[in-house]
Amino acid sequence: QKEVEQNSGPLSVPEGAIASLNCTYSDRGSQSFFWYRQYSGKSPELIMSIYSNGDKEDGRFTAQLNKASQYVSLLIRDSQPSDSATYLCAVNGVNTGKLIFGQGTTLQVKP
Amino acid sequence: ETGVTQTPRHLVMGMTNKKSLKCEQHLGHNAMYWYKQSAKKPLELMFVYNFKEQTENNSVPSRFSPECPNSSHLFLHLHTLQPEDSALYLCASSQDGQRDNEQFFGPGTRLTVL
């Protein structure tokens, strides 16, 4: 079992729709969870971090965390073509700075 | 992106060459990281430095040699690389090496080994 799993996609949504990106992780003791956006040919850019169960909203982005189910998701409302990118889920192990990344989900937002 | 800078942005080298990658962070952070990103693979952590001390070597071959002279600078010295080492090499930094810290990435060095 991979430590951090994401569906590689591509996930295709029409412009203006809600895009839902999902991630599961294996280390039940993980405490910190991050979403990065990576445009083709560019480096990852941190867009959300979440540490507690529930929802965290930032503009059009909402991160959702359920530690009991070992599941973290990212919702993008009113998706725009500029949101087309690969979204990386990253999880910190217990008491370590080591980030474990998923392979990423490619999102395509079609005009 | 300007918080963490990397040079060069692109590098082509032969298997017998020696080259170095440089990373500098302007965020006042104390932890720095080297990652490797190959096509179709997740980001792979290579090395971690926390307050200039190496705290993680993720079973990286000795042809990759890191150096961290201070908390703002990180180098990756390369020698006798293999074609399969061609990848995007990313530097990142965080406040320190503890569990809750967000990591910020530089633009990366695209390395091609011929």
Side-chain angles (χ1 to χ4, degrees), chain B residues 1-28:
Chain B
E1 188 172 292
T2 55
V4 182
T5 58
Q6 290 186 244
T7 56
R9 297 291 301 272
H10 300 272
L11 178 62
V12 179
M13 59 186 291
M15 290 190 287
T16 58
N17 292 156
K18 290 185 180 180
K19 296 287 184 183
S20 295
L21 309 185
K22 178 183 176 181
C23 176
E24 184 173 0
Q25 59 93 4
H26 311 273
L27 300 170

Side-chain angles (χ1 to χ4, degrees), chain A residues 14-36:
Chain A
E15 184 175 356
I18 296 175
S20 178
L21 305 161
N22 305 315
C23 172
T24 58
Y25 59 95
S26 61
D27 185 351
R28 185 169 287 279
S30 296
Q31 299 291 326
S32 308
F33 308 86
F34 307 92
W35 283 100
Y36 286 83

Side-chain angles (χ1 to χ4, degrees), chain B residues 30-100:
Chain B
N30 295 299
M32 297 186 77
Y33 311 78
W34 279 118
Y35 287 88
K36 175 184 179 182
Q37 188 174 37
S38 304
K40 307 298 182 185
K41 288 186 177 180
L43 274 167
E44 300 173 57
L45 178 66
M46 300 175 71
F47 301 103
V48 181
Y49 279 82
N50 199 24
F51 293 91
K52 301 189 298 178
E53 299 297 320
Q54 187 180 125
T55 57
E56 181 90 20
N57 177 337
N58 203 23
S59 303
V60 181
S62 60
R63 57 186 183 269
F64 295 91
S65 175
E67 178 189 0
C68 187
N70 54 60
S71 293
S72 299
H73 293 85
L74 185 65
F75 295 89
L76 187 62
H77 304 299
L78 316 172
H79 62 99
T80 59
L81 294 191
Q82 305 298 311
E84 59 264 29
D85 296 321
S86 299
L88 181 66
Y89 288 85
L90 292 159
C91 173
S93 72
S94 67
Q95 184 59 48
D96 61 43
Q98 298 307 305
R99 60 191 175 98
D100 291 340

Side-chain angles (χ1 to χ4, degrees), chain A residues 31-32 34 36 38 42-44 46 49 51 88 92-93 95-99 101-103, chain B residues 1 33 35 37 42-43 45 56 58 88 90 97-107:
Chain A
Q31 299 291 326
S32 308
F34 307 92
Y36 286 83
Q38 187 172 24
K42 301 293 186 181
S43 63
L46 180 66
S49 57
Y51 306 99
L88 306 175
N92 258 23
N95 294 322
T96 173
K98 185 175 177 179
L99 275 184
F101 284 83
Q103 67 179 49
Chain B
E1 188 172 292
Y33 311 78
Y35 287 88
Q37 188 174 37
L43 274 167
L45 178 66
E56 181 90 20
N58 203 23
L88 181 66
L90 292 159
Q98 298 307 305
R99 60 191 175 98
D100 291 340
N101 277 266
E102 300 168 335
Q103 293 184 18
F104 297 90
F105 286 85

Side-chain angles (χ1 to χ4, degrees), chain A residues 6 21 35-39 47 61 74 76 82-89 103-107:
Chain A
Q6 296 180 256
L21 305 161
W35 283 100
Y36 286 83
R37 177 176 62 199
Q38 187 172 24
Y39 291 113
I47 54 173
F61 300 98
L74 180 70
I76 306 175
S82 58
D83 295 325
S84 298
T86 296
Y87 289 80
L88 306 175
C89 173
Q103 67 179 49
T105 298
T106 299
L107 173 66

